[in-house]
Amino acid sequence: MAKLSQEDLLAQFEEMTLIELSEFVKAFEEKFDVTAAAAAPVVVAGGAGAAAGAEAPEEKDEFDVILTGAGDKKIQVIKVVRELTSLGLKEAKDLVDGAPKPVLEKVAKDAADKAKEALEGAGASVEVK
């Protein structure tokens, strides 16, 4: 096999979907026993350490929606849990019965707020972390 130039490789990657590229990176990491972590941000973060200390802490972008209680309308809460997740009836009921438990994990702020609003509308008590 002829050796591909960097430009040829980039052209091949350009044609891939993000999922295909992600799978390629995983296979590359496994084959060569490496991690494809970007080195440049580490250097930038190290050089900007003093400036970052003066700035406000970075805003959180992943939230967990935790069901803390089902309330009086347990059946309505189970329905909302099923709508928010891909759980079946039994799994959703077990989640509601086992509160406090996370309903959604590592979701965007707007999705967490919508889920909280829907669950509270059904009568549940919810916490977003």
Side-chain angles (χ1 to χ4, degrees):
M1 180 175 169
K3 184 175 179 181
L4 297 174
S5 71
Q6 192 173 22
E7 290 80 25
D8 293 337
L9 285 171
L10 289 174
Q12 290 296 315
F13 292 139
E14 191 174 60
E15 294 175 13
M16 293 179 150
T17 66
L18 288 177
I19 293 172
E20 292 171 332
L21 189 56
S22 174
E23 290 170 353
F24 170 78
V25 170
K26 288 177 187 172
F28 186 90
E29 289 174 340
E30 289 174 10
K31 171 119 176 132
F32 296 105
D33 193 30
V34 295
T35 302
V42 174
V43 173
V44 171
E55 295 177 16
E58 198 172 306
E59 189 172 324
K60 195 173 166 184
D61 61 348
E62 290 183 338
F63 297 87
D64 296 340
V65 179
I66 300 169
L67 178 69
T68 56
D72 295 335
K73 301 176 184 176
K74 187 170 148 183
I75 294 173
Q76 294 299 330
V77 174
I78 292 170
K79 287 181 181 180
V80 172
V81 168
R82 289 191 68 203
E83 290 172 9
L84 294 172
T85 65
S86 59
L87 297 176
L89 181 60
K90 182 183 182 328
E91 292 84 4
K93 181 183 180 302
D94 291 344
L95 188 145
V96 171
D97 287 341
K101 286 208 171 189
V103 176
L104 298 173
E105 294 179 317
K106 296 181 181 176
V107 295
K109 181 164 179 55
D110 61 333
D113 290 340
K114 287 179 184 177
K116 179 180 179 186
E117 193 175 299
L119 287 164
E120 287 177 343
S125 52
V126 181
E127 186 177 305
V128 177
K129 288 186 178 184

